[in-house]
Amino acid sequence: MPVFTAMSLALSGPAWAGSSGEELGIQVQRAINNLKSSDSALTNFFEHSAGYAIFPSVRRNGTNLCGEPVRGIVYEQGQPVGEAVLAESNVARQNSAGPFHEALFFETAEALENFEQGKLVLSPE
């Protein structure tokens, strides 16, 4: 059974400041726009979730080029609050050869807080 583990890093300032961080912010916003335009039902999740984490460039093996962790941004009630890192994953094979967007939506503030504290393990059944 594949297990997905995500670890987030809560930061006091914008995690996406600086040139590489600004690029991450652009990639995440592009991913949000793509997700909303590809499935209009997702707009409801973006608007009504306590929070969400967006990883714009997940690859089939769960890592970016050169084995680097997948970076994303965490939002609380639509506002960016920190950077997230997909620290470890064993992603089931995808048919797509290219990267894809990963979005995690948190229905409650408690679920978001658990994610921020690194207490979240996702396991598909």
Side-chain angles (χ1 to χ4, degrees), residues 29-73:
Q29 191 55 55
R30 188 176 303 134
I32 290 170
N33 293 340
N34 288 343
L35 289 166
K36 286 180 177 180
S37 67
S38 68
D39 185 349
S40 60
L42 286 177
T43 300
N44 190 45
F45 285 100
F46 282 105
E47 292 176 358
H48 299 292
S49 296
Y52 49 89
I54 305 295
F55 300 93
S57 298
V58 178
R59 297 191 185 276
R60 291 191 323 183
N61 65 357
T63 60
N64 283 330
L65 299 174
C66 304
E68 293 181 15
V70 179
R71 293 175 56 216
I73 296 178

